[in-house]
Amino acid sequence: SATIFEMMFLHIFLLSLITSSWSYNIHYSSCRRCVLSSAAGAALSTMLPKQDAVAFDGTGSSISNAPSSKTSLVKGYRERIAADVRDFNALGKAIVEKDEIDGNAWLDMFISYPRREADAVGRTYAAQIDLIGPLDSKTGGGAAYLLASTFAKPNKPTENLPQMKKYKVLFKAIESVDAAGRKKDLAKAKKEFTKASVMLSDFLQETGMPASLSDPLYQ
């Protein structure tokens, strides 16, 4: 008859076989679920519509080809742009009427730090970044860029859009105002602000917004 030692050895051996079998089944089931999930994800990704790539925005906004969604986004972009133009006008008064080369109006326009919380129209940055994106950006951004992009047909490039061309000119014009302010050159700031005002008006007109910076919407 088998000794107690042999019986214990046989018991341990059988237990190890059962445990290994369970581990294998668990591992196999997990891997199988991973494979099925990956396959399902890949299949789903081919079914979903492609999203248009957008540049820096600051709010996470993007363009959608769904009519209702696009209408809502355009409304939001225009509300933000109107608020940005109000800050731009305030900067103009500081430069032209008060001969200020720094101060609150400059900060409200050009400070690069994000707000602690979004304002009434959803802006999370100061006017310049919210309007045209960071000045060191190579691709642009902001509400003006996003609004210009909405004029493109689905899956078509935006580079040659009249609205995008106006945006690019506006970007450079506002950049020049900021550069004059950094150099504390009041005369240059007045000159560049006057140019930027024309470029901003042109952009607004091209995108279907009131072109005059004295419009009640911007006061």
Side-chain angles (χ1 to χ4, degrees), residues 68-203:
S68 59
S69 177
K70 183 174 180 179
T71 299
S72 177
L73 288 173
V74 168
K75 180 177 181 293
Y77 300 152
R78 286 178 171 165
E79 288 176 350
R80 286 168 51 194
I81 290 172
D84 295 332
V85 176
R86 289 193 285 272
D87 285 337
F88 181 85
N89 280 337
L91 176 65
K93 290 181 180 180
I95 295 174
V96 177
E97 299 178 11
K98 301 179 182 179
D99 291 341
E100 293 181 356
I101 198 62
D102 54 23
N104 290 336
W106 283 90
L107 290 175
D108 289 342
M109 186 71 194
F110 291 110
I111 191 169
S112 59
Y113 297 108
R115 302 172 188 265
R116 290 185 178 179
E117 59 183 21
D119 67 5
V121 295
R123 298 186 301 172
T124 55
Y125 284 83
Q128 170 257 305
I129 288 183
D130 185 76
L131 180 64
I132 62 172
L135 294 178
D136 60 355
S137 171
K138 295 181 180 180
T139 57
Y145 178 95
L146 293 170
L147 180 60
S149 298
T150 63
F151 287 86
K153 294 180 179 179
N155 300 318
K156 296 294 183 181
T158 63
E159 288 81 2
N160 295 322
L161 289 172
Q163 295 82 4
M164 190 60 71
K165 291 180 179 179
K166 294 293 185 182
Y167 161 80
K168 293 178 179 179
V169 173
L170 174 62
F171 185 100
K172 294 180 179 180
I174 292 181
E175 183 180 34
S176 296
V177 177
D178 178 62
R182 291 177 183 275
K183 294 179 180 179
K184 305 300 181 184
D185 188 335
L186 180 60
K188 182 71 170 178
K190 289 183 177 182
K191 181 180 179 181
E192 296 302 334
F193 180 85
T194 299
K195 291 181 180 179
S197 297
V198 176
M199 300 303 103
L200 179 55
S201 179
D202 288 348
F203 173 83

Side-chain angles (χ1 to χ4, degrees), residues 31-53:
C31 291
R32 186 170 180 271
R33 284 195 295 270
C34 292
V35 171
L36 290 175
S37 298
S38 299
L44 182 60
S45 66
T46 62
M47 297 169 62
L48 294 175
K50 293 182 179 179
Q51 295 294 321
D52 293 352

